[in-house]
Amino acid sequence: IEGRQQIVERLAEFDRSNLIPFEMLRAINASRPRSVYFTRAATEGLNGLVIAASTRNVSDVNQYEASLRALPEVQTVEVRNLQPRDDGTTFTLVVTFLPGAFEAALAEDALQTASR
């Protein structure tokens, strides 16, 4: 019972937070080269997203980084742990969004929730 209560409390905490990981992913996915695959994603703080990714074309990493820097909702982009492998390259992408970058999405979500 305690374990289930903790899960319920975590879900309620997430629901009350302003984290919107799917909006973050949607924003960075639009400019993602076809060769880049996300293998793991996690939020970091209120405005950050950490992505573990892989690609067979290492030049696409630089192209993707540059296109992310050009997005109006992105504050910073950092590529970490670029590791060449036999079957391609793995890397970590750390994206920090501007505070309030997704306020419109939050407002829309609140309106949809209220209308239910």
Side-chain angles (χ1 to χ4, degrees):
I1 292 174
E2 288 177 4
R4 288 184 179 170
Q5 181 62 32
Q6 288 175 343
I7 291 171
V8 169
E9 288 173 6
R10 280 284 286 167
L11 288 172
E13 180 181 305
F14 180 75
D15 189 47
R16 287 188 305 270
S17 77
N18 287 338
L19 286 177
I20 46 176
F22 295 111
E23 290 298 324
M24 292 175 175
L25 285 169
R26 192 173 294 119
I28 67 168
N29 195 46
S31 59
R32 181 182 53 84
R34 296 184 76 152
S35 72
V36 173
Y37 293 91
F38 296 162
T39 56
R40 189 175 65 82
T43 56
E44 184 174 80
L46 293 176
N47 299 318
L49 191 61
V50 179
I51 304 287
S54 65
T55 184
R56 290 189 179 265
N57 187 353
V58 71
S59 66
D60 282 348
V61 176
N62 291 336
Q63 173 194 343
Y64 191 33
E65 180 182 11
S67 66
L68 290 175
R69 287 182 192 280
L71 293 175
E73 57 268 281
V74 170
Q75 184 173 20
T76 63
V77 178
E78 182 181 351
V79 174
R80 297 180 185 165
N81 306 323
L82 195 63
Q83 298 289 321
R85 310 248 186 234
D86 290 339
D87 59 344
T89 300
T90 60
F91 61 99
T92 302
L93 186 65
V94 181
V95 182
T96 304
F97 294 90
L98 292 168
F102 300 104
E103 284 182 8
L106 286 172
E108 183 179 324
D109 187 44
L111 284 174
Q112 288 178 356
T113 302
S115 67
R116 290 182 192 158

